[in-house]
Amino acid sequence: GAGVSQSPSNKVTEKGKDVELRCDPISGHTALYWYRQSLGQGLEFLIYFQGNSAPDKSGLPSDRFSAERTGGSVSTLTIQRTQQEDSAVYLCASSPRGEADTQYFGPGTRLTVL
Amino acid sequence: LAKTTQPISMDSYEGQEVNITCSHNNIATNDYITWYQQFPSQGPRFIIQGYKTKVTNEVASLFIPADRKSSTLSLPRVSLSDTAVYYCLVVSSGYSSASKIIFGSGTRLSIRP
């Protein structure tokens, strides 16, 4: 079946604008994860969903960041009033049940804030 | 929450065996050790996971000593295509309740002809 997909693949925006990043997980996967990866750096965990619930939102960098997941499937990461330091690749992953399951990653969305 | 420490980079040659060691001194009883591989402009890809002793699959082996405070990813007979960043990840079977997932900076492996 299809893997994790993300859209858009690239997004260029102006400072102060809001952006929405979308993740379509593998069908049937209950767990979904968002990460951020700056150029040449490791992955920074942002948030994790089990079903539609996010048990821990403390990884979100600021209150400008929010995420939701509906129907136990598609997730949207929203960044309000974008700043230049938000420029990074945003990666989404899903896993069958969560916990210690293997995570399957999407190709990422490259966000550039001018 | 178990933090991991890996070498920043390693170099090797085609056909050699490469061992990458990860330290996770405060690993908890219900933690698993997972390794991912990431190529440029791609998301990470699962390589192998283990809890204790040795695990082997078609691409790698994972060695975990009895105290589980470290683990070693072994790549047999590497090729140029194994050039990538390798991440060691310790995940708790209970992380749904609170923990963050820390990938760390990874080990940048460069394979030369």
Side-chain angles (χ1 to χ4, degrees):
Chain A
V4 177
S5 62
Q6 293 185 244
S7 60
S9 55
N10 281 284
K11 176 71 176 179
V12 180
T13 190
E14 295 179 346
K15 177 182 175 181
K17 300 284 190 181
D18 297 352
V19 296
E20 281 191 355
L21 312 180
R22 175 186 170 109
C23 173
D24 284 86
I26 293 173
S27 178
H29 281 194
T30 62
L32 185 145
Y33 316 76
W34 282 99
Y35 298 86
R36 177 169 72 173
Q37 187 170 36
S38 300
L39 188 62
Q41 302 299 308
L43 280 74
E44 176 188 6
F45 171 73
L46 299 179
I47 193 168
Y48 153 74
F49 286 92
Q50 182 59 257
N52 292 333
S53 300
D56 185 355
K57 300 181 180 180
S58 62
L60 295 175
S62 75
D63 59 8
R64 296 186 295 104
F65 287 71
S66 63
E68 65 175 12
R69 188 180 185 195
T70 56
S73 181
V74 172
S75 177
T76 302
L77 177 69
T78 302
I79 309 173
Q80 296 179 309
R81 304 181 302 282
T82 52
Q83 303 294 312
Q84 289 184 331
E85 60 263 29
D86 299 333
S87 296
V89 175
Y90 289 81
L91 289 158
C92 174
S94 70
S95 64
R97 293 174 300 277
E99 299 185 348
D101 274 356
T102 299
Q103 296 180 43
Y104 297 85
F105 283 81
T109 294
R110 182 175 298 278
L111 174 66
T112 303
V113 182
L114 302 177
Chain B
L1 182 63
K3 181 179 178 181
T4 61
T5 303
Q6 308 173 230
I8 294 174
S9 63
M10 294 181 68
D11 296 325
S12 188
Y13 293 91
E14 283 191 293
Q16 299 295 305
E17 178 185 81
V18 171
N19 296 309
I20 306 174
T21 296
C22 178
S23 298
H24 25 81
N25 291 321
N26 58 338
I27 190 169
T29 302
N30 57 353
D31 286 346
Y32 289 78
I33 301 155
T34 311
W35 285 80
Y36 287 82
Q37 175 191 56
Q38 186 178 27
F39 297 112
S41 302
Q42 295 184 24
R45 183 182 67 152
F46 171 85
I47 301 175
I48 198 167
Q49 183 181 72
Y51 183 79
K52 62 180 180 180
T53 63
K54 177 183 176 182
V55 178
T56 298
N57 62 23
E58 63 276 10
V59 297
S61 294
L62 179 60
F63 298 92
I64 305 169
D67 66 6
R68 305 203 323 126
K69 294 182 183 298
S70 67
S71 59
T72 299
L73 174 71
S74 181
L75 304 173
R77 297 178 300 282
V78 294
S79 65
L80 295 177
S81 63
D82 292 316
T83 295
V85 178
Y86 292 82
Y87 294 95
C88 165
L89 178 66
V90 173
V91 286
S92 167
S93 61
Y95 71 59
S96 59
S97 62
S99 303
K100 297 181 184 179
I101 304 170
I102 300 178
F103 265 78
S105 299
T107 297
R108 188 172 300 274
L109 176 64
S110 298
I111 305 300
R112 302 176 181 178

